[in-house]
């Protein structure tokens, strides 16, 4: 009797989950044995479809996590920046230069986020989904 065809999309999800949370948690979550996960890893070398699914999903998850983390960090940094600006006494050249430099750095990070966030759902909304 022939074995049933493997669900490569499910296998790719399990592999990405294992990379993020560890083998034991991924196996428990996906209802598979550690040996099955190990077999999936080995098949990445020979199964082009599985390798493609894994690469796409891994890239999507990594980009989404990075974008969410950046959004949260930018929100905190912008709030802190605002507190610092409101607390500045006087307008000496050094202080103005420091504030301007910080705003420039935040702007560059925001542009990078926007470019990387293209095609990523909810990137740029400030919420970690």
């Amino acid at each position: 009797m022939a074995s049933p065809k493997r669900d490569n999309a499910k296998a790719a999800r399990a592999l990405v989950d294992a990379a993020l949370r560890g083998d034991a948690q991924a196996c428990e979550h996906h209802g598979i044995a550690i040996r099955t996960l190990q077999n999936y890893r080995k098949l990445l070398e020979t199964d082009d479809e599985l390798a493609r699914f894994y690469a796409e999903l891994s890239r999507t998850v990594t980009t989404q996590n990075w974008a969410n983390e950046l959004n949260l960090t930018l929100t905190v940094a912008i709030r802190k920046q605002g507190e610092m600006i409101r607390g500045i006494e006087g307008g000496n050249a050094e202080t103005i230069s420091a504030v301007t430099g910080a705003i420039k750095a935040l702007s560059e990070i925001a542009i990078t986020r926007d470019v990387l966030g293209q095609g990523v759902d909810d990137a740029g909304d400030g919420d970690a989904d």
Side-chain angles (χ1 to χ4, degrees):
M1 177 179 197
S3 62
K5 176 153 174 45
R6 175 183 58 259
D7 182 348
N8 277 339
K10 179 182 176 186
R13 286 191 299 273
L15 287 166
V16 169
D17 202 23
L20 294 173
R21 303 189 319 170
D23 290 3
Q25 285 187 349
C27 288
E28 183 178 328
H29 178 77
H30 293 278
I32 60 173
I34 292 282
R35 184 71 183 142
T36 301
L37 186 65
Q38 292 168 343
N39 288 338
Y40 290 166
R41 275 196 191 103
K42 191 172 185 175
L43 286 166
L44 281 173
E45 298 172 14
T46 58
D47 187 325
D48 291 339
E49 181 186 59
L50 176 59
R52 185 173 39 81
F53 283 161
Y54 175 76
E56 289 171 2
L57 184 58
S58 180
R59 186 173 30 257
T60 299
V61 168
T62 301
T63 302
Q64 183 65 55
N65 288 343
W66 189 90
N68 286 336
E69 184 65 29
L70 178 59
N71 289 337
L72 293 172
T73 303
L74 279 173
T75 300
V76 169
I78 289 168
R79 288 181 183 146
K80 183 66 174 172
Q81 186 83 29
E83 291 171 14
M84 291 171 62
I85 291 169
R86 286 187 291 278
I88 291 175
E89 297 293 328
N92 66 43
E94 186 177 309
T95 302
I96 292 170
S97 178
V99 171
T100 302
I103 291 170
K104 180 181 177 193
L106 289 173
S107 298
E108 290 171 357
I109 292 170
I111 290 168
T112 302
R113 180 206 53 211
D114 292 344
V115 168
L116 292 175
Q118 290 178 0
V120 179
D121 294 338
D122 294 329
D125 66 1
D127 294 330
D129 298 324

